[in-house]
Amino acid sequence: IFAKESCELHLRGGTNVAFSPQIDEFQEIFIPIVKKHLGIEIECRVLRKGYYPQGGGEIFIKTSPVRELKPINITEFGDLKIIRGKAFVAGNLPIKIAQRMADTAINALKTIFKNSVILEIVAIKEPDNIAVGIG
């Protein structure tokens, strides 16, 4: 990010594997936080997801240079209004598995938050042309 010009990375490997952050977390949580609070511009495109154990995913990342980072000041959380999530399956796994995962997550969250938070968790079957492996 401190380079004189933008940098590009083309990475291959597992994007959705056990015991590590998923690429979706990087795109939907990490990038917006560093953009908003540090002023870092990151473009991240998932060309293909790679599930454990096969891997085979591909992502493209591009960063724009910054002169200096803005200081982070996140001292108040605000009110929790909505929880969004995604339950994925890929390969020959049926969508009903993702739906069960989504339903289970919603039911678990309902016991914690009752009706005070909107819960939106969707089931997704990854198309074969953008996912490698069964996950």
Side-chain angles (χ1 to χ4, degrees), residues 15-16 21-35 42-47 49 58-61 86 88 126:
T15 61
N16 297 74
Q22 310 291 301
I23 191 63
D24 308 274
E25 181 180 344
F26 183 74
Q27 287 181 299
E28 297 181 29
I29 298 171
F30 180 77
I31 290 175
I33 288 173
V34 299
K35 182 177 182 177
I42 301 174
E43 174 190 346
C44 178
R45 288 191 324 236
V46 176
L47 307 175
K49 286 189 174 181
E58 290 185 67
I59 63 169
F60 171 81
I61 296 177
K86 298 175 184 175
F88 295 101
E126 296 281 17

